[in-house]
């Protein structure tokens, strides 16, 4: 294959761009399907090999060497060798194995969920293949592909440029140099240069800072420079989140408490009831197991992963699990306007010329409608200035409109909607796009950038305009474009632009903007007369071209707010989350839209422009941020300052962005949100979350999920701590009575609860859906801890005491039925076993009530449907099933100290959850009432 022969980068760099095609065995129209297939077989997929992670075996083993697992191994060994109950040892080992398997499968389920998400995050490249432009997955690129790159793209393979427009590339990923470098297609002499210095090559792993270009792929996958030097580590899912780290710490702290309790019980067992050392050790082990929150970490990971999956369905792709927590505590969302709060479906509805205003009818991108002046239809072919403004606007655009087809019944846009609607308006005015283009061949483009807020294109005219053969058309934000103009075209004549005219242009602009409309100014410059321009057009810069221009008029377009946004904004208001609009658009347009969707409520909110922002001190900015404020006409890099100041005020900030210059703000924010449709690769890479529908409402739903995850982990903690008290009290009763009360709950029974019956309902709590009230309270304070006093008091002193009383009640109840003396129990015969089975059963049934109780914080659990969580329901069925097996299968009677129960006993047990749920419902009712009163 030629490819191998000529793929030496230095040879390619020295060729004329036309010769590059031949050298790489390709052509301008791209590769054919067979050639792609051939090259795929030869070079494989364009993927960087990922470093191998932990092997499944190691992952598996980890679950059997955790602190608790080791304790159980030791405990089992002691019981097996040193007590007269070796079967107890075997049982402890068995429980340990089952528990290890359970957490292993839980963890692998979570990692499968994150793997699925990784796939969704794949990126695309634009190529020419088989003579047509198409979008493909970057991993499908092969050497010889004709690759098109533009601002914000992440370059996916090494490639040799064949054309460029003001192309600048950031190579910091490869060279560490963070300033962008210029690149073009001109041949070079590669001697003494390292390949990164070749001005006509672009490299995988680097990004396009500005401009655009077309290049032929030279190397892919591990053959690229990036592949050679980089050990790409994808962080998704690998890194422990702050929450997980917190939990690690928490687990350790609780383990220390658990071991201290264990030591206390061990000593008490020896001193108070004179148990042999081995027996006392096994006994205290029960306490330790009861207190260690086993299953906590995998449950947290799983509930995060499941929330992330739910968010993906709601159009929010979270790149790291840790972002979910930050989302939950978000207190400010800084949002763009165009496309995020609005539909980004532009329709031109007015054209303004200095002496005449036109209306444009029709909606959307279908070229159905017309241009009217005072109600009369106008053909632009009969109106020179109208024709000029519409054709200049259409020519200074890159978007294409695709007519309806089988897949899509509507007209659709390829490219920027702001540009697409301009072509549609021209068609409505009777102009034919192909005809306009053929009369004005495009020579060069000075691409749009949101700091300049305009773009220009240079054309060769076949029919000169007032003698101009080479012309530059510019379109952009009115203020930024009018500032470039020195003259104005009025009824076909070019006259100097005076102050009065400038004022009247801006007045017209303001009038449209107040209605929430978006306005672009259109201008041109005769370049045939321009002096001091460089010879090579590749050296034209915006500064050289965009000056001394002729103002033509304004094109006005509507971009209606997204329908669902007003409700999402209202939700944020209830949830005490502030929304700050930061837009590149004009202040009055921004204000009008902000008012319409409810972001600002005041009549005269403060609007700060980019220029004002630049002059403000941090103190005055902070002051402004404490009130309703809109940022308009700002450059994306100014977002960074707003984010920093909001964070310094103690906020957790989410910020949206789509362009290259948004990257610093996206990185700095607690949650960087990139647009999936309009966003560049650079923005997506810097962000923590990607909105696949670019829709603001999706952020709000993600915040809701984020809050719910945190709640769920707390619900889980509450539930597992619940049973601790009722597990500890029976042993305490045994010890404190110096053995007078025979042990009401044996170690195997504690293990059966902690490592058996409690597991599935606990996991179920991790999957609870957001409570309906989750967005009716303020964001969680930044430094709030997961395990707080409220949970501990609720678990130990409220549920714990209720459940302990019931459990001990159940134990003594058996005694009461069979006479009055403890002697009945102490003989460790049938009655004793029945009594301990009742303690076990009562704790299990109280935990059933506790599972329901833990599902809501203050709401009645009945209001969300008592049985609406399937996993909890299944867990309850499993619990009861396990209890039946332990009580009725003789094999377990000896091991678990159990015995069959009587009918009346079952009735007792089934009634247990009633006081547990009833008392908690009463408490919740009281809290709700109190809150309502306080709110009133
Ligand atoms: P937001 O920042 O809310 O997304 P935006 O699209 O108005 O809104 P930018 O993309 O930064 O923000 O654009 C800034 C301004 O530049 C716009 O308000 C508009 O006046 C002008 N503009 C936008 N797109 C183009 C374009 N393709 N060509 C020329 N000018 C444009």
């Amino acid at each position: 294959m030629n490819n191998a022969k000529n793929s030496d980068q230095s040879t390619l760099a020295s060729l004329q761009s036309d010769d590059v095609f031949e050298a790489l065995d390709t052509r301008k129209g791209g590769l054919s399907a067979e050639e792609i297939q051939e090259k795929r077989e030869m070079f494989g997929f364009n993927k960087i090999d990922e470093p191998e992670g932990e092997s499944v075996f190691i992952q598996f083993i980890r679950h059997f060497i955790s602190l608790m697992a080791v304790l159980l191994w030791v405990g089992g060994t002691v019981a097996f060798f040193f007590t007269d109950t070796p079967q107890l040892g075997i049982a402890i080992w068995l429980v340990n194995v089952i528990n290890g398997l359970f957490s292993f499968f839980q963890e692998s389920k979570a990692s499968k969920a994150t793997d699925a998400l990784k796939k969704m995050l794949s990126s695309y490249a634009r190529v020419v293949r088989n003579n047509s432009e198409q979008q493909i997955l970057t991993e499908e690129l092969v050497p010889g592909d004709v690759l098109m790159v533009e601002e914000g793209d992440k370059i996916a393979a090494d490639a040799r440029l064949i054309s460029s427009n003001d192309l600048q590339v950031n190579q910091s990923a490869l060279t560490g140099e963070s300033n962008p470098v210029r690149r073009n297609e001109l041949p070079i002499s590669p001697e003494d240069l390292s390949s990164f210095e070749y001005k006509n090559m672009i490299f995988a792993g680097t990004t396009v800072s500005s401009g655009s270009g077309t290049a032929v792929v030279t190397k892919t996958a591990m053959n690229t420079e990036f592949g050679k030097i980089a050990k790409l580590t994808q962080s998704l899912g690998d890194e422990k989140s702050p929450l997980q780290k917190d939990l690690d710490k928490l687990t350790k702290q609780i383990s220390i408490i658990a071991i201290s309790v264990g030591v206390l019980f061990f000593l008490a067992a020896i001193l108070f009831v004179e148990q042999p050392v081995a027996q006392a050790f096994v006994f205290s082990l029960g306490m330790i197991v009861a207190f260690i929150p086993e299953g906590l970490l995998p449950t947290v990971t799983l509930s995060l992963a499941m929330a992330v999956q739910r968010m993906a369905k709601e159009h929010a792709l979270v790149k790291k699990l840790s972002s979910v927590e930050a989302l939950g505590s978000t207190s400010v969302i800084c949002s763009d306007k165009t496309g995020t709060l609005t539909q980004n479906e532009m329709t031109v509805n007015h054209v303004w010329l200095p002496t005449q205003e036109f209306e444009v009818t029709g909606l959307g991108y279908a070229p159905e409608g017309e241009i009217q002046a005072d109600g009369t239809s106008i053909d632009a072919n009969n109106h020179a200035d109208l024709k000029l403004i519409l054709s200049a606007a259409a020519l200074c655009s890159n978007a294409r409109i695709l007519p309806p087809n089988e897949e899509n019944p509507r007209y659709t846009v390829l490219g920027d909607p702001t540009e697409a609607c301009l072509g549609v308006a021209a068609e409505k005015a009777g102009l034919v796009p192909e005809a306009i283009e053929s009369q004005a061949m495009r020579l060069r483009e000075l691409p749009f950038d949101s700091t300049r807020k305009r773009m220009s294109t240079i054309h060769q005219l076949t029919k000169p305009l007032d003698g101009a053969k080479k012309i530059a058309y510019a379109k952009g934000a009115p203020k930024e474009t009018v500032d470039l103009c020195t003259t104005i075209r009025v009824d076909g004549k070019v006259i100097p632009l005076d102050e009065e005219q400038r004022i009247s242009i801006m007045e017209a602009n303001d009038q449209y903007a107040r209605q929430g409309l978006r306005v672009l100014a259109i201008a041109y410059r005769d370049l045939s007369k321009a002096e001091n321009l460089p010879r090579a057009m590749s050296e034209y810069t915006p500064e050289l071209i965009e000056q001394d221009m002729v103002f033509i008029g304004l094109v006005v377009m509507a971009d209606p707010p997204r329908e669902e946004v007003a409700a999402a904004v209202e939700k944020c208001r209830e949830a005490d989350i502030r929304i700050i609009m930061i837009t590149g658009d004009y202040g009055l347009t921004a204000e009008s839209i902000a008012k319409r969707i409810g972001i600002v409520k005041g009549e005269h909110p403060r609007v700060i422009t980019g220029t004002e922002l630049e002059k403000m001190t941090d103190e005055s900015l902070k002051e402004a941020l404490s009130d309703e404020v809109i940022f308009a006409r700002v450059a994306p890099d100014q977002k960074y300052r707003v984010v920093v100041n909001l964070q310094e005020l103690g906020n957790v900030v989410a910020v949206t962005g789509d362009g290259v210059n948004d990257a610093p703000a996206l990185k700095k924010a607690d949650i960087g949100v990139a647009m999936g449709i309009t966003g560049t690769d650079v923005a997506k890479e810097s962000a923590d979350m990607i909105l696949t529908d670019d829709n603001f409402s999706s952020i709000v739903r993600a915040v809701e999920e984020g809050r719910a995850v945190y709640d769920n982990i707390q619900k889980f903690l509450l539930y597992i701590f619940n049973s601790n008290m009722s597990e500890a009290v029976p042993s305490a009763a045994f010890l404190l009575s110096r053995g007078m009360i025979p042990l009401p709950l044996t170690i195997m029974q504690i293990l059966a609860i902690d490592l058996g019956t409690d597991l599935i309902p606990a996991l179920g709590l991790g999957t609870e859906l957001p409570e309906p009230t989750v967005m009716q309270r303020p964001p969680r304070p930044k430094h709030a801890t997961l395990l707080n006093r409220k949970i501990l008091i609720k678990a130990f002193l409220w549920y714990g005491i209720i459940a302990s009383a019931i459990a001990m009640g159940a134990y003594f109840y058996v005694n009461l039925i069979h006479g009055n003396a403890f002697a009945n129990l102490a003989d460790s015969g049938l009655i004793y076993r029945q009594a301990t089975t009742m303690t076990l059963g009562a704790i299990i049934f109280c935990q059933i009530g506790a599972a329901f109780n833990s599902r809501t914080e203050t709401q009645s659990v009945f209001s969300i449907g008592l049985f609406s969580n399937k996993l909890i329901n299944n867990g309850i069925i499993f619990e009861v099933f396990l209890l039946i097996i332990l009580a009725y299968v003789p094999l377990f009677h000896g091991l678990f100290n159990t015995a069959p129960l009587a009918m009346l006993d079952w009735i007792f047990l089934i009634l247990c959850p009633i006081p547990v749920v009833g008392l908690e419902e009463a408490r919740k009712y009281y809290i709700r009432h109190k809150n309502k009163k306080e709110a009133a």
Side-chain angles (χ1 to χ4, degrees):
M1 188 99 305
N2 276 355
N3 211 339
K5 184 179 76 197
N6 284 323
S7 59
D8 176 26
Q9 312 273 46
S10 62
T11 318
L12 286 167
S14 64
L15 296 176
Q16 290 290 341
S17 35
D18 283 346
D19 300 330
V20 173
F21 290 108
E22 205 204 315
L24 285 164
D25 206 16
T26 181
R27 62 209 69 80
K28 248 190 183 139
L31 300 167
S32 68
E34 296 88 68
E35 285 171 321
I36 294 164
Q37 188 55 35
E38 244 173 66
K39 300 211 177 196
R40 169 78 34 73
E41 274 161 28
M42 197 158 172
F43 299 102
F45 281 97
N46 181 32
K47 276 197 298 200
I48 300 292
D49 299 340
E50 270 185 67
E52 269 183 35
E54 212 176 41
S55 74
V56 179
F57 177 72
I58 303 276
Q59 284 173 27
F60 182 76
I61 290 297
R62 256 197 305 113
H63 294 276
F64 298 92
I65 51 170
S66 66
L67 174 68
M68 193 196 62
V70 169
L71 277 173
L72 286 175
W73 290 130
V74 175
T77 310
V78 171
F80 188 80
F81 291 108
F82 304 108
T83 67
D84 48 8
T85 48
Q87 68 277 30
L88 181 65
I90 297 175
I92 294 176
W93 288 333
L94 210 66
V95 165
N96 206 15
V97 170
I98 294 172
N99 189 53
L101 285 175
F102 183 78
S103 46
F104 169 72
F105 285 117
Q106 224 167 310
E107 195 179 87
S108 57
K109 199 169 153 200
S111 97
K112 266 197 203 117
T114 37
D115 279 352
L117 279 162
K118 264 191 205 175
K119 285 212 181 92
M120 286 190 210
L121 290 169
S122 41
S123 52
Y124 296 88
R126 242 180 347 138
V127 291
V128 182
R129 282 179 169 182
N130 236 339
N131 295 314
S132 77
E133 204 183 302
Q134 35 187 287
Q135 205 172 41
I136 58 166
L137 284 171
T138 49
E139 62 177 54
E140 290 172 5
L141 279 174
V142 291
D145 261 327
V146 178
L147 175 70
M148 300 162 82
V149 295
E150 61 179 9
E151 180 174 313
D153 281 355
K154 178 164 184 185
I155 299 166
D158 289 359
R160 162 69 160 87
L161 283 163
I162 47 169
S163 70
S164 63
N165 282 311
D166 232 14
L167 182 67
Q168 294 201 37
V169 177
N170 185 328
Q171 303 200 134
S172 58
L174 296 179
T175 60
E177 167 60 51
S178 58
N179 286 332
V181 287
R182 285 191 174 278
R183 289 291 172 256
N184 58 41
E185 65 281 10
L186 303 175
I188 54 153
S189 330
E191 296 89 43
D192 304 329
L193 293 178
S194 76
S195 47
F196 296 136
E197 289 169 315
Y198 294 177
K199 280 196 157 57
N200 50 22
M201 298 284 303
I202 51 177
F203 297 97
T206 65
T207 54
V208 181
S209 323
S210 63
S212 58
T214 306
V216 183
V217 173
T218 55
K219 300 220 164 129
T220 56
M222 297 308 282
N223 297 326
T224 60
E225 297 299 321
F226 185 69
K228 279 185 217 154
I229 61 170
K231 284 193 177 59
L232 182 72
T233 47
Q234 282 181 326
S235 60
L236 187 96
D238 298 343
E239 193 188 315
K240 271 198 180 162
S241 73
L243 175 72
Q244 282 163 317
K245 282 185 203 147
D246 264 8
L247 286 170
D248 265 343
K249 211 165 97 192
L250 186 74
T251 314
K252 281 197 188 107
Q253 283 166 350
I254 298 175
S255 303
I256 292 171
I257 297 173
I259 291 171
S260 315
V261 173
V263 169
L264 217 68
F265 273 67
F266 174 74
L267 294 177
I270 291 175
L271 297 178
F272 291 170
V273 273
E274 289 160 14
Q275 277 190 347
V277 174
Q279 194 105 31
F281 174 76
V282 175
F283 168 67
S284 66
L285 187 72
M287 276 306 96
I288 297 175
V289 173
F291 274 83
I292 291 180
E294 54 276 349
L296 177 60
L297 273 178
T299 305
V300 169
T301 316
L302 187 63
S303 68
L304 285 174
M306 288 179 70
V308 164
Q309 266 187 331
R310 277 201 300 272
M311 288 182 199
K313 283 197 195 116
E314 300 273 8
H315 309 287
L317 287 185
V318 175
K319 284 165 62 186
K320 277 194 230 139
L321 294 185
S322 56
S323 314
V324 178
E325 314 146 42
L327 263 173
S329 53
T330 301
S331 59
V332 182
I333 305 175
C334 296
S335 175
D336 285 334
K337 173 183 71 70
T338 311
T340 318
L341 296 167
T342 65
Q343 298 178 8
N344 208 9
E345 278 214 6
M346 309 276 174
T347 314
V348 174
N349 57 11
H350 289 91
V351 176
W352 185 90
L353 295 179
T355 53
Q356 202 171 8
E357 189 193 21
F358 302 87
E359 263 183 44
V360 186
T361 63
L363 256 187
Y365 298 108
E368 292 150 11
E370 54 181 23
I371 304 243
Q372 300 174 343
D374 301 323
T376 321
S377 172
I378 307 271
D379 183 341
N381 291 300
N382 303 323
H383 193 302
D385 284 358
L386 182 62
K387 182 175 177 181
L388 177 63
I389 189 170
L390 289 175
S391 39
L395 285 166
C396 189
S397 297
N398 293 320
R400 291 256 165 277
I401 300 278
L402 301 179
N405 55 28
E406 277 164 17
E407 267 174 47
N408 212 327
R410 290 174 47 174
Y411 281 84
T412 43
V413 172
L414 247 185
D416 183 350
T418 299
E419 300 189 350
C421 70
L422 299 172
V424 177
E427 279 195 64
K428 287 180 184 170
L431 304 175
V432 181
E434 293 76 23
I436 308 176
E437 279 167 25
S438 67
Q439 287 163 12
M441 189 176 71
R442 188 192 281 195
L443 303 173
R444 185 162 155 71
E445 174 190 342
L446 299 167
F448 170 75
D449 88 59
S450 34
T451 307
R452 233 164 82 241
K453 297 188 178 34
R454 53 181 181 256
M455 79 177 264
S456 307
T457 47
I458 298 160
H459 302 260
Q460 186 76 45
L461 301 184
T462 50
K463 278 193 198 156
L465 172 76
D466 301 341
K469 282 191 192 149
K470 197 162 125 192
I471 199 164
Y473 291 125
K475 71 172 198 314
K479 178 90 181 66
E480 282 73 4
T481 309
V482 173
D483 282 352
L484 308 172
C485 299
T486 47
T487 48
I488 178 169
R489 200 173 170 91
V490 182
D491 294 331
K493 285 197 201 77
V494 176
I495 57 170
L497 175 64
D498 60 26
E499 203 42 43
E500 214 173 292
Q501 278 153 336
R502 277 181 205 276
I503 292 171
S504 82
I505 296 169
M506 288 320 287
E507 272 175 359
N509 172 49
D510 288 1
Q511 213 184 343
Y512 293 122
R514 265 187 221 109
Q515 302 164 45
L517 298 170
R518 183 173 169 88
V519 189
L520 286 188
I522 314 290
Y524 72 92
R525 180 180 176 200
D526 176 1
L527 292 182
S528 356
K529 286 193 207 134
E531 289 165 8
N532 301 332
L533 287 183
R535 281 250 228 101
M537 216 174 295
S538 60
E539 286 170 33
Y540 284 11
T541 58
E543 296 74 37
L544 285 171
I545 301 301
E546 293 171 346
Q547 51 165 293
D548 203 11
M549 301 199 99
V550 186
F551 173 82
I552 315 175
L554 305 173
V555 183
V556 185
M557 52 193 82
D559 176 20
R562 286 177 181 270
E563 273 165 23
E564 60 282 36
V565 160
V569 168
E570 186 51 38
K571 223 179 207 182
C572 287
R573 212 168 268 282
E574 282 183 6
D576 244 344
I577 298 172
R578 283 185 67 200
I579 305 168
I580 298 178
M581 185 193 271
I582 307 183
T583 176
D585 214 340
Y586 193 61
L588 287 173
T589 310
E591 186 182 327
S592 164
I593 300 273
K595 278 185 183 158
R596 224 186 294 172
I597 55 182
I599 288 186
V600 292
K601 290 277 185 207
E603 192 49 40
H604 300 291
R606 180 154 182 206
V607 179
I608 299 176
T609 63
T611 332
E612 284 164 8
L613 178 58
E614 212 161 279
K615 292 184 196 136
M616 278 172 110
T617 61
D618 280 349
E619 285 69 43
S620 50
L621 175 57
K622 284 197 180 91
E623 213 179 289
L625 284 170
S626 57
D627 211 348
E628 273 192 338
V629 63
I630 295 171
F631 292 92
R633 282 180 51 218
V634 293
D637 44 19
Q638 292 181 308
K639 277 185 194 171
Y640 180 84
R641 237 189 107 198
V642 177
V643 170
V644 171
N645 278 279
L646 279 167
Q647 283 175 331
E648 282 171 7
L649 285 170
N651 290 293
V652 176
V653 185
V655 70
T656 67
D658 48 17
V660 181
N661 300 338
D662 287 321
L666 290 172
K667 276 196 191 136
K668 178 71 189 157
D670 301 272
I671 290 286
V673 185
M675 299 299 133
I677 304 171
T678 54
T680 56
D681 294 345
V682 174
K684 288 180 197 165
E685 213 166 63
S686 317
D688 304 292
M689 183 166 97
I690 298 172
L691 298 182
T692 51
D693 61 352
D694 289 13
N695 190 341
F696 176 81
S697 319
S698 305
I699 309 177
V700 181
R701 276 198 294 269
V703 168
E704 198 170 340
E705 285 289 351
R707 287 187 173 193
V709 168
Y710 201 85
D711 286 357
N712 286 355
I713 297 170
Q714 291 193 319
K715 287 172 189 174
F716 169 89
L717 283 174
L718 176 64
Y719 176 78
I720 54 169
F721 284 129
N722 255 327
S723 54
N724 286 2
M725 194 68 168
S726 47
E727 283 165 353
V729 165
S731 302
F734 164 68
L735 293 177
L736 294 178
S737 70
R738 294 185 151 248
M740 263 249 298
I741 301 174
L743 190 61
L745 190 74
T746 66
I747 165 174
M748 283 309 291
Q749 289 172 337
I750 292 178
L751 293 184
I753 298 168
D754 253 52
L755 305 179
T757 59
D758 262 4
L759 284 181
I760 302 179
L763 202 59
L765 285 168
T767 66
E768 276 289 323
L769 294 175
E771 281 184 56
T773 50
V774 74
M775 293 295 269
Q776 286 164 12
R777 53 175 146 95
R780 184 179 78 235
K782 211 170 175 180
H783 299 294
T785 51
L786 255 183
L787 187 65
N788 52 38
R789 210 174 335 145
K790 212 162 112 191
I791 295 182
L792 288 176
I793 290 177
K794 214 164 154 188
F796 291 128
L797 298 183
W798 174 236
Y799 292 2
I801 287 184
I802 299 172
S804 303
I806 294 175
M808 291 306 289
Y811 179 74
F812 289 123
Y813 151 85
V814 176
N815 200 37
L816 207 72
I817 298 264
H818 296 279
N820 218 353
F822 290 135
N824 280 334
L825 301 170
D827 68 0
S828 74
L830 181 67
I831 297 174
Y832 171 63
R833 284 192 286 114
Q834 268 173 352
T836 60
T837 311
M838 277 301 278
T839 321
L840 170 71
I843 295 177
I844 291 177
F845 274 84
C846 283
Q847 279 297 90
I848 293 178
F852 291 132
N853 284 347
S854 308
R855 291 187 61 202
T856 60
E857 207 190 320
T858 52
Q859 257 200 307
S860 164
V861 67
F862 295 97
S863 72
I864 59 162
L866 190 62
F867 296 109
S868 57
N869 185 322
K870 264 198 200 144
L871 199 51
I872 291 186
N873 298 345
N874 292 341
I876 291 173
I877 295 171
F878 172 75
E879 285 185 75
V880 177
F881 181 69
L882 200 69
L883 179 62
I884 292 173
I885 291 191
L886 294 184
Y888 291 95
V889 178
L891 183 71
F892 297 114
H893 287 167
L895 259 184
F896 284 88
N897 232 308
T898 45
L901 297 176
M903 193 60 180
L904 212 59
D905 299 342
W906 279 107
I907 294 174
F908 183 107
L909 292 182
I910 288 168
L911 293 178
C912 285
I914 295 176
V916 176
V917 174
L919 284 168
E920 174 65 358
E921 281 291 313
R923 189 195 67 85
K924 285 174 182 167
Y925 179 80
Y926 170 75
I927 302 271
R928 282 200 304 275
H929 245 69
K930 205 175 93 189
N931 288 350
K932 221 190 239 167
K933 246 194 206 157
E934 276 171 14

